[in-house]
Structures are given as C-alpha cells and as structure tokens.
Amino acid sequence: MKIVTFGEIMMRLAPFRNERFSQAATLEMTYGGGEANVAVSLAYFGHDVWFVTRLPKNPLGNDALETIQKYGINTGYIQRGGSRLGIYFLEHGASIRPSRVTYDRAHSAISDAEPGSFDWDQIFSGKDWLHITGITPALSSNCAALSLEAVERAKKLGLNVSCDLNYRKKLWSREEARKTMSRLVEWVDVIIANEEDASDVFGIKAEDSDITSGKLSVEGYASVARQLRDYCSADLVAITLRESISASDNNWSALLYNGNQVFNSCKYPIHIIDRVGGGDSFSAGLIHGLTNAWESQKCLDFAVAASALKQTIQGDFNLVSEKEVLSVMGGDISGRVQR
Amino acid sequence: MKIVTFGEIMMRLAPFRNERFSQAATLEMTYGGGEANVAVSLAYFGHDVWFVTRLPKNPLGNDALETIQKYGINTGYIQRGGSRLGIYFLEHGASIRPSRVTYDRAHSAISDAEPGSFDWDQIFSGKDWLHITGITPALSSNCAALSLEAVERAKKLGLNVSCDLNYRKKLWSREEARKTMSRLVEWVDVIIANEEDASDVFGIKAEDSDITSGKLSVEGYASVARQLRDYCSADLVAITLRESISASDNNWSALLYNGNQVFNSCKYPIHIIDRVGGGDSFSAGLIHGLTNAWESQKCLDFAVAASALKQTIQGDFNLVSEKEVLSVMGGDISGRVQR
Amino acid sequence: MKIVTFGEIMMRLAPFRNERFSQAATLEMTYGGGEANVAVSLAYFGHDVWFVTRLPKNPLGNDALETIQKYGINTGYIQRGGSRLGIYFLEHGASIRPSRVTYDRAHSAISDAEPGSFDWDQIFSGKDWLHITGITPALSSNCAALSLEAVERAKKLGLNVSCDLNYRKKLWSREEARKTMSRLVEWVDVIIANEEDASDVFGIKAEDSDITSGKLSVEGYASVARQLRDYCSADLVAITLRESISASDNNWSALLYNGNQVFNSCKYPIHIIDRVGGGDSFSAGLIHGLTNAWESQKCLDFAVAASALKQTIQGDFNLVSEKEVLSVMGGDISGRVQR
Amino acid sequence: MKIVTFGEIMMRLAPFRNERFSQAATLEMTYGGGEANVAVSLAYFGHDVWFVTRLPKNPLGNDALETIQKYGINTGYIQRGGSRLGIYFLEHGASIRPSRVTYDRAHSAISDAEPGSFDWDQIFSGKDWLHITGITPALSSNCAALSLEAVERAKKLGLNVSCDLNYRKKLWSREEARKTMSRLVEWVDVIIANEEDASDVFGIKAEDSDITSGKLSVEGYASVARQLRDYCSADLVAITLRESISASDNNWSALLYNGNQVFNSCKYPIHIIDRVGGGDSFSAGLIHGLTNAWESQKCLDFAVAASALKQTIQGDFNLVSEKEVLSVMGGDISGRVQR
Amino acid sequence: MKIVTFGEIMMRLAPFRNERFSQAATLEMTYGGGEANVAVSLAYFGHDVWFVTRLPKNPLGNDALETIQKYGINTGYIQRGGSRLGIYFLEHGASIRPSRVTYDRAHSAISDAEPGSFDWDQIFSGKDWLHITGITPALSSNCAALSLEAVERAKKLGLNVSCDLNYRKKLWSREEARKTMSRLVEWVDVIIANEEDASDVFGIKAEDSDITSGKLSVEGYASVARQLRDYCSADLVAITLRESISASDNNWSALLYNGNQVFNSCKYPIHIIDRVGGGDSFSAGLIHGLTNAWESQKCLDFAVAASALKQTIQGDFNLVSEKEVLSVMGGDISGRVQR
Amino acid sequence: MKIVTFGEIMMRLAPFRNERFSQAATLEMTYGGGEANVAVSLAYFGHDVWFVTRLPKNPLGNDALETIQKYGINTGYIQRGGSRLGIYFLEHGASIRPSRVTYDRAHSAISDAEPGSFDWDQIFSGKDWLHITGITPALSSNCAALSLEAVERAKKLGLNVSCDLNYRKKLWSREEARKTMSRLVEWVDVIIANEEDASDVFGIKAEDSDITSGKLSVEGYASVARQLRDYCSADLVAITLRESISASDNNWSALLYNGNQVFNSCKYPIHIIDRVGGGDSFSAGLIHGLTNAWESQKCLDFAVAASALKQTIQGDFNLVSEKEVLSVMGGDISGRVQR
C-alpha cells in the first residue's frame, strides 16, 4: 500500500540511564514525532511510505532527513527551509517518577510553513492512505491550515484518512483543540484516541474511570467510542487503554468500534523500556491491518501487539517486523531467547 | 530556614549497568555522603544550607567542593587540608544479588580533623537547624569528638538538632556506636532511624519482625519508636521501614512518633534505580516539613514521598523539587509522561 | 578438584541498553560459550580448571585467550590455529520482546579442528572431571568426533563425566542431535538438561507442561528425569526449570534425580539482567557440590542458587564466589546493601 | 575584585570524537557563551563574579543555572522567565576540516528580555568591573538596548568596562554591528578584539595579512590597535592573533596597546583540544592582570598563557588556576607529568 | 548522473580511542567497504547511485541495508541470501604504531554469490557509470567471475567503467591478482591506483621511491602512470600518493595521466582521524569531476581535496558535500570555526 | 627466562578525552605500577614472569589480581591482606598542559606489609632475574626494608638484578631516596634511569642540559652514565632521554653504557597517546634483550623501540609483541595500515 503521513519530526534529546538533566553530561540523540513514527513502523511492515514535512537546510535538518531515509521512507515531498529543527527533551522517569518532556519546537521549519506551500495533488497522486495526528495542527495556525488542506484534499482524492487525536496540553488549550479538530475530523475515516483524548478534545467523558489511579473501565470506553464515532462521523474508532501502574510497568490494551460491534483486545502487562510512540505504533498496526483487509478483531489484535512491543524498544520508532508482531499476537510473550 | 549539616562527602565510584568490578572498565564518578545528601535535598526544597566538612587541597577535593556548590549549598565553612578524600566503591546489585559497598574512607581529610578545629559559634550563628548522622562520629575518634562538640554547641545556641542514627557495621562495632551515640543523642531533638538502627545501636528490638525476610511489623516498630524516644529524651522519633523484596524492588514506608501519637505513612512499592541515600532524603523531607511547621502527618507523608522518589534517581542526591514531592504525595504515582 | 571442560569460546557482541542492532552504534564485546562458562564459574568456586579449545592466531584469538586467563583458568591445552574465531550476536530482549541470538560461528577454529588433534591422554592425566555440552558436537562433524573421543577417553581414564544436553536448533536438527548424543551419553555419569532438551534431543516428553505459556509441571519433569536416566544409563539427572514470565522476569528452579529419589529445589523469582549462561552456571554449581561430596539436596540447592545469581549478572560468566551463593542459598535474597 | 559579566549562556551540544552530526548517536552536553566563559575563568582566578542573564523556568534553565553555580559564580541577579534556552550545536573539526557551529539561539530567554528589565543600579552597586562582548547586542534589538543600558550605567557608576568585539556573522550584518557597537564602545575602557573583529565591525584593516592563509603580520596589527583605540576612545586595546595552521594546530599570541606602547606576547604553538572560548579566556586573563594592577607586559603575558591553556581543555570554560597559568607563562610548556 | 558500484559492504568493528583489542570492552560498529564507500560519497555529491551486493537475511544484513539507505543510495538491486555478513576488525594505530586490520569476510553472502546470479542488463539499464575495485574479485572465484561479468557487460552497454586496483595481500597473492585483474582491466576506462598497487598487481615499478620511508618520487609515479595506462589500454590513470610520516600524520597528493599530460595535485598535510576509505573517496571525487566534464586538473584537485577531507572523518564513508570539498580545494585548510 | 618483579600495582583512575576532574562524570579504570608494568611487558615478550605484591581481600584487590592473571603472569606469590588498594588519579594533559598525577596510595596493602613477610628463598628458587624500581622502597619504611631484603637475597641466590631508579618527588625527599637507594644499588647489576633520576637520587648532574626546555645533551648523559656506573658498581647503566616538546609530542631515545662503550639509540618522534609507563617498557625491553644475550646495541635499540611503541598505547601496560617491536626497530614507523 502507498501511505502518506504529514507532520513534524524532531530531534529527541534524552539523558541516559534514567538520569535527570541536572545529572547528565551526555544525551542520546534520536529523532521522532507522531506521524514520522507511524511512517517508520509502516515501512517496517513493508509498505511504501512517504513522510511529508519541512526541514531546515542545516546539519540537523540533514540528519533528520537521513534518519527517515534509513528506515526506507520516501522523502521526495519533504521541503527544505525555515529557521530551525524542532527539539524535544525527554527525561526518562522510573517507578513512581514520571517521564518529563520539555518541548522546544516553536518556530520550527514546519511550524513556519505557509498554507498552500505543499502541492497536495501531486503528493496524494496514486496514494491509498493519509495519516495525521492532532499534534500537527497544534503546532501553529499555519500548521492547522495545512492539516486541514491535507485531510480535505486527501479525502476528495479518494484516500482513506486516519487521525490520532493525540491531545498535547503543552501545545494548545482544549478550546483551541476542539475548534480545529472538529473541522479536521470531518474528513477522517478512522479515529484513533487514547483514554484521555476524547475528553480533552471533545469533552466526551469515560464514566467510571480514574486515569491517574491506573484503573480503566472497558465498558466506559466502549461508550466513549460510540460517542466519538457519532461526533466525528467516522467509520472506525479505536481507543488505546493504558493502565499506568508506574513509569516502569503498564498494562496495555485497546478497543475498536466499527458502528456495529465493540472489539476488545487482550491486555499486555509491559515492563516499559520506552513508552513514547506507543500510540503511534498502534496507529501503524491498525493501518497495516486495515490496508490488508483483515477482520476487525485481527486488526485490533495486531495493533495492540505491535504497540505493546514498541514499549520494549528504545526511542520513538517501532522497529519490529510483521513477523515479530504476529508472534506476540500468537501468544509468545515469554521472552525466551531465540537461538 | 538556615540549616547546617556536618559530615563527610566522598567520591562515589560505581560500575555501570549492574556490572561487578571484575567486569568494569569504566566507573561512574559522583559524590555523596549522609549529611551532604541531606544538604542537597534541603537546598532543592529552597532552604539556605551550609555543609561543613574538611576537604583535601587537591583536584579531588576541588571537585567535591564544586559538586556541593553546584546544588546551591553554602561552602564558606568548609576547611581545606588533610591528606585524602574519602572514597566509596559501589557495586549495584540486582534482583536477588545485593549491592556491595567497599569503603575506602580511612585517613580522609575529615577523619583526621582535630577536635576544636571548627569554630562552631561562628558556624551556628544565625542558623536554625543542625543535622548530623551516626556515620560522622563513626569515622574516627576525632570525628566523634567533633560531632559531640557540634551537637552540644548547636543545642546550646538554640538550634534544633536532628540525628539519623545510621549504623554502619563496617565502620564501628555496636558497642562503640552505643557508647558514643548515647552521649550524642542527649543533644538531639529529632531522632531518625531505619528499621535496624535502634537495635544495632541501642539494643532496642522490634518484636515480630524479620528483616532479611522483607516483612516488617508496623506495630512492632511503634513500640521501638516509643522506646527510642524515651532512651534519647527526644521530641520526635521517625523510623523508616524498608521491605526489601529484592535489590530491584522494595516497599517503603515510615512512622513518626511525637510522644502522643504514632503516625503511619502509606507504603510505596518502588522499582529501585538507586536506593543509596534513601534514608537521607527522608531526613531532608522531614526537616523540610518541621521547619515549615506542617502537621505531623503531613511532615511524615512528605518525607516518605520524597524518599520514595529518591530511590528512582541515580546517585546519592535527591534531585527533586518540593512540587514533585507534593505531586507524589497527592497520589500521582502512575508515572505518566508529562507533555 | 582438577576439572576439564571442552568446547568453544566465542566473541559475544551485543548492543547496549536493550537496543536492537538497527539502533546500535556501539557493541559490548565480551566472551562466552557453554563449556567456557562452566570453567569460569568453577574457577571462581576455587577449582583447578582447564579449558580445552582451539583459537585462531590473530588479535581476536589472543583476546579470547586473555579473557580465559583473567579468570584463573589453565590454558595449557588450548591449540592455536584455524581461520577465525566464532562470534555470536546477542540482542537483549525486554518484557514481551525475546532476546535474539544470531550465530556466526561456522568455520571457527574449533569447528575445523581435526579428530585426533587433541592428546586426550595428556589432557586428562591427573584430572578428576570432564564437562561437555551438547553444543560442541553440534558445531561440526569434526567436533562431534572430537567430543566422542573426549568423553570415551575421559571415562576410560576414570574421570567423572558430565554433559549438559543443551540442544541448539540453529546448529543442528533434532535427528542429528539424537544420533550423536545417543552415542555420547553412553560415557556420561551426570546428565543435565533444561525443560526442553530431553524432548528435543531424545523425544522424551514432559506431560502436562506448556513451555511457551511459562507454566511447568514439576511432576511431569520428575517423569522426564527418570526416563532420561534410563535412556542414558547415567547416575544422576538434573533438570533446570525456567518459567519465562517475560524476557525481564523468570522463575527459576530445578530438580535432581539419583535413581532413588527426586529432589526439588525452591523456586527463585528473578528480575533478569542476563539470562544467557544460566544453565551453564547450574552445571558448575552442581559439579561443585558433587566434587565436594555434598548431599544431593545441598548439591541441587547450591546449583540453583548459583544459577539464579548468574541471571543477575551481565555476560555469559557467573562471576560469583561460593560464599555469595551460600548466602543466597541460606535465604538472603532481599538484596540489602552490604555496608 | 567584584566583577560582573552580562550575556547569554547556551546549552552546547557536540558530537564526540570529531564525529559529524550525521554519525552521532550521542551528544556531549555542556554550557557556554562568551560572557559566562569570562565569568568562570575569573572565578577560577579567585574573583567574586556575578553573571547576569535570563534563563527559562524549565529543567534546561535549571541545569544552566547549576552549571554556573558549580564554578562558584554568584547567580543572584539572574532572572527566570522567557520561553527557551539558547542552544548551539558544535561539530568539532580536525586537521583541514573546520569546526562547524549551528546556532539555535533565536527566541531565547535573554533575547526576549525587555529593555529596562534589569536593575543595573542594584547590580553594579559595590562592583568594580563590567565585562561584555559584541555577541550580546547581536542577539536581538532588546539585547542591544540592554547592553547599551548596562555599559552606560556601569561607566557612570564608576566601574571599569571591558568589551570583546567578538563579531559573529551568523548573528548580524557588519552594518548592524557597526551601528550598535559604535555606540557601545563609547563607554568602554578596554577593547579586546581578535585579528578579524576590527575589520568586520569598524572596517579597520590590518595591512599585509591574509587570515585564511594562517599568516599574520604583527606590525599590521599594531596599526590596527592604534586605529581601534582612537576610534573607541579607549584606554587599552588588546588584539589576539590566531594563526590557524589547521583545525588541530594553531599558533596563538596577542598584543596590547596602551596609547604609548605596543606590547607583544610570545607565540604558543598549540595542539588544539577545543578552541572555542579562546578569546574569552584571554579577556579573563587580561582583566585578572588589570585588576591586580600588574604591568602591561605581565597582563598581556598572563592573558595569552591563560588562553593558550584554554585551548587544551574541552568545553567553553577555562578551568585553570592562576598558578597553572603562571607556570606556563614562566616557560613550562613541555607537558611533563607532575608526579 | 546514474552510477552503479558493485562489491561488498562489511560490518566494521573497532575499539575506541586507539585501544588494542586486548583493552577494549566496547566496539564501534559501523559499515564500510571499497565500492560502498564510493557509493556513499557520490550520493553526498548529489548523484543517483545504486550499490549492488548480496546481504544475508538476518539482523546484521538488515542493518547493513539500512546504513546504505540512510545515505540515500538505491538498494533495489541488492540480493538477500547467503550465510553471513563479512566483518572486518580494525585496530586504530597511532604515531609509530600501525593500524591493524583483521578480515573476517570469508564465506560472506557476496563471496558465495553464484556467477550469473545478477541480472546485469537490468542493473545497467539507463545507467552512466560503473565503478568497481580490485577487492571484489579477490573475495572468491565466484566474485572474480561476477566482477568480470559486470565490467564486460557494463562496457558493452556503453557505461563508463572505473576500477581502483586496491591490492589486498591478505585476500590473494600477487599472482592471482595479476591473472584476474589483467582480464578485468580490459573493460576499464579509468584506472585508479595507490603508490603500491601498480607494482603489486602488475609488477610495474616506481623507480626512486621507498614507500616505508614515507618518501615518494612524483617523477617515478608519472612513469608508473604511463606504463599502467599502456598495460591496461585505459583512457585515464590516476595514482594517489600517500607519504606516511606516521599513523597520525600523512601527506596526501595524487597525479592524473590522460595519455597526453601528467597533472599533479598540491600536497595536503593531514592529521589523520581515520585513513581507511581515503582511496575510495578519491575515486568518488574523480568520478564526480569526470561526470561533470571538468577539466583534468580540476578533476584531480577535487578528488585530492575530497580524499584529504575524508581522512579527517571517522569511519569508511566520506560524509562531505561538494561545497565543503570546493572550499578546501580553494585553499581554506586553516580549520577556522564557521560561526 | 624466569623473571620476578616486586612492587605495587594500583588502580588507575583517569577522566576520558583530556578532561579535567572537574569535568568528568566517568573515569577509566585500569591498573598499573612500575614493576607490574615491567612484568606485563615481559610476559608479552614470552617470558615466565612472577609479580610479587600484597593485595587487599576485597573486590578491588580481586580485580587487580585478575588483571595480572589476564596478561599471563604468575600470581602464586602474591599475598592477600592489608586494608586498601593503592590508587592513582591521572588527568591526561594535552599540548602545553601537563598531565597531573594525584597519588592516593598511602596505607596500601603492600605499604603496610611487614619486613620478613615474604619468603624470598622460595620466591627466587629457580628464577633468573629480579627487577625492582625506586618506587617500591619509597612507599614506606616497611617497603624500603622489603626491597633491600629482596635485592640482597636475589643477588646472593645468583639472580641478575635490575633496578630503575624512578625517583618520585611526591613520595619521598631526595635525601631519603639517596639514603635508601645507595644501599639498594649495591646488589644491582643493571641500573636504569631517566634523564632526571641520577641527579635527583644521587646528585649526579648532566651538564649542558635543560630538561624543562625539552633539549638534552647526549654527551652530557654519557658522562652521567659513567658516573652512575661507578657510583653503583653496576655492570650496565641505561638512561632514557625524553625531550618533551609538549604533552602531546615527545622525542624519545636512550643510551647504554657497559663500562667500555656508550651506545646511543636513534631518536623517535612520538605523538603521545599515553606516556605513563614509558620507562617501565624500556626496562622490560632491555631485560628481554639481555636475557636473550643480544649484543648491546641491539638490546638498546629493542628497548627504545619497545618504549616508543608503549607511548602510543593507552594505559600503563605495553601490550605489544616482540614481533611488533622488531618491526619498529627495523625502521617501519610509517604507521601504514596492515591489511
């Protein structure tokens, strides 16, 4: 399948070994960002993927570009220009101490991109799917306009469109999010959300659930899924459900609602290596299943297994093959050495 | 508040990644020591802190000094002289393998400091609180004399005095400890101990408790607290309670006894990053609460939350803010990413 | 005791911090291999140990040799020659993601060693024990012949012979394994196997057990032990039982059958640092007990405690002393800091 | 002496071992910036130093602050606020490959500071010296205004004022620089420049000199010094002279002109470890000499020796003592081990 | 231009910081190999490049593939199969100590590739240039056959063909090299050699030159170039001239002979960061110039400047842009910081 | 040959990459010490070597022991006991900045060893050579007594005895050194010294030489050699001559005087990787030549080449083979890659 994702890729700088910034003399430099993460995972599953963004003409922009190339993603629609590369600083938490993200992405190349500066008709020509998240429109009013351009154009050109709501409170207010995302979801076929997004963005509440306590009500979220599908006029709604026992241990599951039936996944207990990008890897897994025309339960199970695996891998990217996901999905979660 | 702590700061040398010394080619160099740890934590909570010690005039002494300065601690009373900096070698355990400390602190600058060589009147002038631990008097007979000088002088000058018993069997015998500490606690207002110290130092037993099995009796320790308060004629006694499930997982709680009432904290399950300095961070948290004149339960809860957080942080120092402790204390222990 | 082990030592190359190869810029270089691992552990327990192999005359062969020397093993019978050193690449798994071994050991110096090229009479002169595993005969037909030479000669010269079945599906088929191992075990006194080997090599099944689910039936394995002892005409059979909850957490136990009685060990819950070499450290612990003529239960308990400890240590080698194993065996698994 | 410096401190991120960004997986995180570098060096020479800047209220701002504290600098006048910390990315060159700096300092906290937002009267009360560079006014029009405020107020309050012209072509044009710096130097007593600044900023040319060829004419620069002193109505002009043989090897010297006489230093051949901050360490050395009222030749010799030493040290900061500088100045440049 | 290179890419494993293998606990893992190095450099100069090889289907083969992708090289003709990835171990020398390469490339995937297994007609369709080196035919008789197939087919299809003689004495004897290379050069337009290759491969001697002494006679090599051109019936012959003063310092130059005139480059003194791949970067530079139809002197100067720059960069690959080469070629070798 | 060396092995802790301690977060941990360095080098040259010392019974003592074992040295006479392992902290200089050693070796296990506690008759039984340096007697009066015991006993038992004067001003005064060393050299056959030792220890002056300037007079040192031989009644005197151009670049040569003739070596220009242990590697090279009964010039040339090579290697130990030294000695100092 030919899949396009549009958004920002940032340099990610993180101290090693659960250090705080105050202790670090050395930072791990990798790259990541919602839509780029989805692109990498889909490329690993064997798809033809294009990542669309804007990168500055400097050594950091070059490095970001090479990272995308490395994973086999097409970069032909990436623009070069603007003044800086977005950065995010990540302090890995542990146990009862949360991970801490410090964004330094204002004024990034993509944030400053002008509406109308991407030739969507060319970009979407011959493509099957567009994926976007709620992060891109949150970057700037320019990016909100570009995101709206993209989804509308993609939909009209016959692509399937998926969107992960991905609310980021450090980027915009709930009011701003609701205003923009309400327009954006009009063009979206598949809505993906985590257990908080529906409430944050659209005020749709999960009853009987206390997120900070780590307990989630599957039933409550089924009701959220139904409300969300109605609100967005979408075909499909998927909700990932994270029970955060601590920064080190989470339970991970999801549900999928297709208008007729709510499908529930099994729940994976995960000892976390890196939870950033978990939701993105779910999106990639779901898109993989849908483009393969798998049955709904299989789509969901694959997406949950893929995203459970992601959280055992350093960095934003889910560097796993379809075969590895299928193995986990088939029940092999014992971690035995393969030799 | 203006707080003084007195003791030794050592270079701490530890292999990375749970390696044993036999495997290590590289060591992590940090600094730590009971009273220095308390000083750093109190500085992070916003207090004016002075750390008093003696450091050699060599590059290692300079480096120790700069480490203290980094965290905003006043160093004006630190003497320079002596022949060497104390060192401790730390091999991080994991799971059923214990961490292993090899002390190399004999003949350190502070160990060889002469009684009478610190001008306590000047040091304590205008200060509110002195904190010391049972490690300092264990270093040498000189240090025992200096410790006794310090607590007596501080008490007479009207400072509050707190002492963490902190028995170290590799430094002195139980008999030596009892002899010296019995004199020292006469001048102490707040006694802090872990679940073993009362027994080791003063022979006060916790009934119904088997420490190596990892199970502790809260009731038994309440009785220990009462005996300890009587023995020391102290105002307050706090006891930290560690249930060591393994080197990787502990449960952590504490109790506080003010003569009228025993207060119990909640119990935190902790996936350990570094448990060294846990008791010190409890002392700092308790002093912070007491100097803020918080109610006893809040003082205890803050101290336990602070020291639980510490154990998720590399190194001896508890590099957390009051705000972060209050968040844990308020129940947010799910480790969700803040972004 | 004077103990000989014969086999291959490989360079082991592994990314750090649970990275996949695709992420790694740096590899940890250590050395390991079944019989070398046993040799190191026995040397740490105080025995006189000879490791017999063939190493290439190049910097990597030299480095392997120095690694063996470092741990106090006699290297006098190691031959130099051949074209390359065997290598294995290890990707550390985490949580539900399995560790992944990529062997690159074909054409190694020992694989290409000619039958008859070792002077077994000289090697075994004055020695008490030979240990070998099912990996060595799997390397090549030459190595199969050498292994058969070795066990037969050792047995005839009066040494005790132990063999860990250690089936490696990436090295040979079950049919090949059965054919060779059936001849080899004729000369073996002590058979060691994990919960899968008996089935893989000899088709002996453990009833009521599902290995990928992580659950094991102790009773089933007692029956396996009895069948295995009969099949091999051995004195003793020991079976290690790993319950893989995930790549990060395992339960570990074993049983021992001496023809009269089945002895069962306690079960250790282990947070895994490195599980490679777990079985080898069990073999070393068992040989240590047997050469000390300890009672069967003690032999088993020591071997299980030793191998539980191993899994908390980086690398293939079990760098622990007898004293440390006895401490764990005595029940101290709380991981308290020793200071 | 009580010395104030005003400017920006940035996070400095650099690949290790001469890597290009395209190769790096890990970055060294340190801090630096012209006036902060001068502050650190002066603190190492024993002065009371205040560094004045504005830092964001986030973990990176905290870390920058702790770095300044570490070296014993007073931070009481540092404001907290603004949106981000300035960053600069440094790729270390080698041999014929130049080092490459990518600035990412736009919109930094200090860049966005409002004119009038620092209370200069309080800051300069009781102080002896202000040092500033041409980088600070280049950051933004706000910073230009703040810089002019600072020098004027300092001069009027009786402080000595020094300024390092430090032209940065990536920050502003020559025209902009000339316009602002012409006003700023009115209040300056001591002008410091490198072999290019006088030309870049004020169009004052060194005849007979070709900088990219690495050859410099001492005579030509004496004429530059004279023109510069006249242009700026300064008391003293110092010019550092770098002969760049390659990124790895430089010759380093300077001259000083006091209106009567041109003093020339010896020339140090330097194998470069890190040349960034070389000019700043010269400024610090010169200020140290001048505040000690040393003779001109000694001031110059100390400043040159100090800055030669700097270039053998990693990072922006010149972490050397007065004693070490005096030793080099005394001719001991043989690098013999001290033991 | 559309350029194809054919050969082997290996994993390169090297200790850090000039360590010997006996000292290393950690290895730097990168990738390299003659024709892959040329491909990367040409891609950095902006060409459309295809690298043709065979890689095993395992994590190491995947990683090699991603490395090639990262630098923007087309990988569509790379076959997957075979049993292992070639490896080379590199110990970096320093000063008078030579670097030491230990090849472990026997039985690699490309070595075992069958003659006839690449569809050269498809590969060369629409391409302009083929580059190969004398290493590929040295790998195995299969590779010799494949190399001959490739050059013959390329030439017949109208591509320009260049070949770097690159004699490796650890791979084959001089006699074997002469026999195969004599046939191969029949199809080659551009011959590239270092100061030893002509003698090693074809017995063509440079008079008046002693290579181990580090002194080279330009005149002697002009005569070598002439003999070589005649022997090979080539259009162009280029010879790189390395004066090895030590492992740390080399002088680097080259000459080019077009049948009419010998062109000489300037000589660069280089402080070596990594000299591996120096010759390959020269080939890439030369091909870049020739495909741009630059004049002979400019082609040579560009190739020498490019390869001088390479030796200041870690790893096999010359990660520099055309602009950077032109800057060095224009005389800017002073290594000044760009900021 | 069977060779014994007696002295102290220390842990060596050094920051990486020319960092000062103030910058280091990580230290390189290796081991070294004069006589241990000689032992390792001789073992690498193929001799049977025994290193005699005393090591504490703790993890650090174990690690030191394993390091010695690794290099194939016999450890059967090493005693275990005492309170600590000696440490030295090394800050690597660069260019004009000297390396800085901070000793922390007081109260080490060997320093506290009792005179008479080594059974020299057993140790020297069947041995051919004893090597010692002037560092061991400088450690403590106990060590001075042990050193005198050793040389006297060795000489009387017919061993050849060599001694490197190795004056360390941080360990004892010149007067103390002269007193003890005058007695010790009575039993010594071969005296080794650097260009300063003769003067420091015995007041024997090299005329016309200024060591800090880096210039040495060969003639002057010939006169020193003659005086030294007379003073010590030795057979042979060797003097190493270091011209320190900077911490990064040295010239290295030596002379040998046998009573009849002064032999001079060539002079090696060295780009320094690590100069510590240079003199020790010279001693090892000389002993190697002498035990092989090579001619004087060859002995000297080998020793100089060996010690020149050492200075290109990290750490105290000269990890080079006889073959590598012979290659350098044969004139191959061009550092060409061997492949």
Side-chain angles (χ1 to χ4, degrees), chain F residues 114-130:
Chain F
E114 293 292 326
S117 59
F118 287 90
D119 181 347
W120 298 116
D121 283 3
Q122 184 196 5
I123 290 170
F124 294 137
S125 167
K127 308 306 185 309
D128 302 295
W129 198 287
L130 169 67

Side-chain angles (χ1 to χ4, degrees), chain C residues 44 63 65-67 69-73 319, chain F residues 44 63 65-67 69-73 319:
Chain C
Y44 257 62
D63 197 19
L65 186 71
E66 290 187 352
T67 299
Q69 284 177 173
K70 174 177 176 177
Y71 296 111
I73 294 167
L319 303 172
Chain F
Y44 258 62
D63 196 19
L65 187 71
E66 290 186 351
T67 299
Q69 285 176 171
K70 174 177 176 177
Y71 296 111
I73 295 167
L319 302 172

Side-chain angles (χ1 to χ4, degrees), chain F residues 235-247:
Chain F
D235 285 344
L236 272 178
V237 169
I239 300 183
T240 57
L241 303 173
R242 182 186 299 279
E243 291 173 19
S244 288
I245 299 162
S246 74

Side-chain angles (χ1 to χ4, degrees), chain A residues 181-251:
Chain A
M181 294 304 288
S182 293
R183 293 180 53 200
L184 195 144
V185 294
E186 288 178 36
W187 310 98
V188 170
D189 304 291
V190 181
I191 295 284
I192 300 155
N194 69 23
E195 69 285 350
E196 299 175 281
D197 290 332
S199 167
D200 287 337
V201 179
F202 299 122
I204 298 170
K205 298 277 180 188
E207 293 169 338
D208 306 329
S209 164
D210 176 359
I211 284 156
T212 58
S213 77
K215 291 184 188 164
L216 297 166
S217 154
V218 168
E219 297 73 19
Y221 282 113
S223 120
V224 168
R226 281 186 289 266
Q227 295 175 60
L228 201 49
R229 185 171 179 277
D230 290 347
Y231 187 98
C232 302
S233 311
D235 286 345
L236 274 178
V237 168
I239 301 182
T240 58
L241 303 173
R242 183 186 298 278
E243 291 173 21
S244 288
I245 299 162
S246 75
S248 304
D249 289 281
N250 283 192
N251 291 323

